[in-house]
């Protein structure tokens, strides 16, 4: 009788934990929707209209992107060293600051102020990304739903898709500032849901999850040089993808016969990014994460380099879909491997990988802006970005050579 009561109580706890895990997942997706898709990536489809209206140069556009990614690098490291009250409370504070920084972009034409606002948006985007990842993954673990972790990053794709449709339908060189304001207000409405509903989950791990944690594979070993090359590969991914991530809409805008589809290119990125995290996670489990990483890198390379050789509508769609379908997928693959390595080594390798990824994002847009210059020709920047992706594939190969020697 006692065993039946205990079993019944355990089932009730499991259901309650699972219910709260689902809630945490949805709120985490909403947080990433705000800080990543709007606070970070909405700059990409709005940029061409800002340039037309304010005569913002490509170099200055690249600098604004670099400033934002520098902020992201700093923000991603903050939770490692500083938690003010709790992860959930800190997330809410940084989320609100991020929303304000987006809203204020529409109230000024001053370049220095833009730099400050994009820097703040970068810091808060990085911090919320890390905090949301920690809070949601912990919640999913406690609810025994860790297999749903890939859905978290789909919030970014959903946000990119929906915001790009809005930009396509509403924005031009006269309404770019009100676009920022409307996106800021929309973020505030969505953010209020997170602020009022997200709470810490204090239930203990259920028995099934405890068993899963105990059975974590401790037999794998990773040398120092494996981690060096693996981190370099992720740094190069951060640098390689971000050139297209920053200038894609401007690239399409510069092609006369594709000009009217510029903002829609970003819509295809978001559309394919939505399922990519889950699909690449499943594929990584089926064929192995290294094979999946190789495949994702090769597809992303094709997506990045394609606009250099073809300016047709079909090639634009293919390029956008290949890019959108891989950049979040690679993040999922690297982060999932980083979590496993962290569990094995006892070190926070996820934070280390995030640092290198952010470093690549800081460096690349500035050099891409220089390569573009005043020519309005993006081929040099795209060749630069695709070359970095080739080097990333080589770095992954070298990391595996080091692992085989253990």
């Amino acid at each position: 009788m006692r065993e039946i009561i205990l079993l019944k109580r355990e089932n009730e706890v499991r259901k309650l934990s699972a219910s709260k895990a689902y809630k945490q997942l949805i709120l985490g997706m909403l947080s990433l929707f705000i800080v990543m898709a709007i606070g970070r990536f909405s700059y990409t489809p709005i940029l061409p209209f800002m340039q037309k209206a304010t005569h913002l140069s490509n170099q200055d556009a690249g600098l604004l992107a670099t400033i934002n990614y520098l902020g992201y690098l700093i923000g991603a490291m903050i939770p490692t060293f500083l938690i003010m009250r709790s992860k959930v409370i800190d997330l809410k504070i940084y989320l609100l600051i991020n929303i304000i920084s987006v809203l204020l972009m529409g109230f000024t034409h001053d370049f220095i102020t833009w730099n400050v606002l994009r820097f703040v948006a970068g810091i808060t985007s990085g911090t919320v990304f890390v905090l949301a990842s920690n809070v949601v993954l912990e919640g999913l673990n406690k609810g025994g739903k860790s297999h749903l972790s890939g859905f978290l990053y789909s919030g970014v794709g959903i946000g990119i898709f929906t915001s790009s449709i809005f930009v396509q339908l509403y924005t031009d060189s006269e309404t770019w500032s009100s676009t920022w304001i409307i996106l800021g207000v929309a973020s505030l409405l969505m953010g209020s849901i997170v602020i009022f509903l997200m709470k810490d989950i204090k239930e203990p791990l259920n028995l099934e999850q405890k068993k899963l944690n105990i059975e974590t594979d401790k037999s794998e070993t990773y040398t120092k040089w494996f981690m060096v090359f693996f981190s370099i590969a992720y740094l190069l991914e951060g640098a390689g993808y971000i050139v297209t991530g920053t200038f894609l809409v401007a690239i399409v805008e510069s092609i006369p016969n594709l000009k009217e589809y510029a903002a829609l290119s970003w819509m295809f990125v978001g559309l394919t990014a939505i399922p990519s995290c889950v699909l690449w996670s499943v594929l990584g489990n089926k064929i192995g994460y290294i094979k999946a990483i190789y495949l994702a890198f090769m597809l992303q390379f094709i997506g990045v380099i394609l606009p250099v050789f073809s300016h047709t509508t079909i090639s634009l769609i293919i390029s956008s879909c290949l890019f959108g379908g891989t950049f979040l997928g690679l993040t999922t693959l690297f982060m999932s491997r980083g979590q496993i390595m962290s569990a094995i080594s006892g070190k926070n390798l996820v934070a280390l990988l995030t640092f290198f990824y952010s470093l690549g994002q800081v460096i690349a847009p500035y050099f891409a802006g220089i390569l573009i210059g005043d020519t309005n020709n993006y081929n040099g920047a795209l060749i630069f970005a695709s070359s970095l992706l080739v080097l990333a594939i080589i770095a992954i190969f070298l990391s595996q050579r080091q692992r085989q020697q253990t």
Side-chain angles (χ1 to χ4, degrees), residues 226 229-230 232-234 289-290 293-294 297 334 391-401:
F226 169 87
F229 288 118
F230 195 73
I232 289 173
Y234 201 40
Y289 83 98
I290 286 296
I293 286 176
Y294 277 133
F297 267 129
F334 273 92
L391 292 175
I393 294 173
I394 295 172
I396 284 292
F397 173 77
L398 292 175
S399 75
Q400 293 311 291
R401 289 288 299 273

Side-chain angles (χ1 to χ4, degrees), residues 67-85:
I67 289 293
N68 180 254
Y69 302 138
L70 176 61
Y72 184 86
L73 183 151
I74 295 169
M77 300 304 294
I78 287 176
T80 304
F81 303 104
L82 176 64
I83 298 294
M84 292 182 287
R85 299 186 65 180

Side-chain angles (χ1 to χ4, degrees), residues 3 50 62 69 90 92 101 125 144 237 255 320 327 379 401:
E3 290 180 357
M50 291 177 65
Y69 302 138
D90 285 13
K92 294 176 181 179
S101 72
S125 292
E237 160 59 10
I255 303 171
S320 299
F327 82 100
N379 287 352
R401 289 288 299 273

